[in-house]
Amino acid sequence: LVKDLGSRGCRVVPVLSAEEALDLAQRLRFEIVLCSARLPGLNWVEFLERVRELAGVFVLMLDGIDAAHGSAFEAGEGLVLRKSTYDAEIERVLAEVEARSGQA
């Protein structure tokens, strides 16, 4: 994912834990926060609550198809990217992020 986003001109800062991500989000401005549903440190819902005001768009990355995860977002707040269909969905997600940042 890091290599793929980098080849699209995105600057990517990978982290190993929720705590590290929160620390960076408090110090720097990120247009996108990508978060695995299996997040070390906090669960992804707790992480979303803490990073909600610190970043542009929150993208939840799922291992499989689970519609319940996406329903945790307020209307239009977050996006879901399924790892199983990543190649097909990454362009859609990046286009949506770009559209949202143009509205800000």
Side-chain angles (χ1 to χ4, degrees):
L1 178 61
V2 171
K3 186 177 179 180
D4 195 20
L5 289 172
S7 71
R8 288 175 163 83
C10 301
R11 188 176 72 197
V12 181
V13 181
V15 297
L16 297 175
S17 70
E19 292 79 11
E20 185 180 359
L22 286 168
D23 179 56
L24 283 172
Q26 290 170 350
R27 294 186 287 131
L28 304 169
R29 170 77 175 130
F30 291 94
E31 292 180 38
I32 307 169
V33 170
L34 292 133
C35 175
S36 175
R38 297 180 187 188
L39 180 65
L42 296 172
N43 70 47
W44 73 267
V45 176
E46 293 169 328
F47 179 71
L48 169 61
E49 290 298 322
R50 294 180 62 186
V51 78
R52 177 177 272 137
E53 301 299 323
L54 301 175
V57 178
F58 184 88
V59 178
L60 177 64
M61 297 181 62
L62 298 176
D63 291 325
I65 299 173
D66 186 352
H69 281 94
S71 65
F73 297 128
E74 293 178 12
E77 179 181 30
L79 301 172
V80 173
L81 177 63
R82 288 172 185 78
K83 294 177 187 177
S84 60
T85 56
Y86 164 79
D87 291 333
E89 291 192 10
I90 191 65
E91 291 299 329
R92 173 191 59 81
V93 167
L94 291 175
E96 179 66 26
V97 167
E98 188 174 325
R100 289 181 185 198
S101 30
Q103 296 173 359

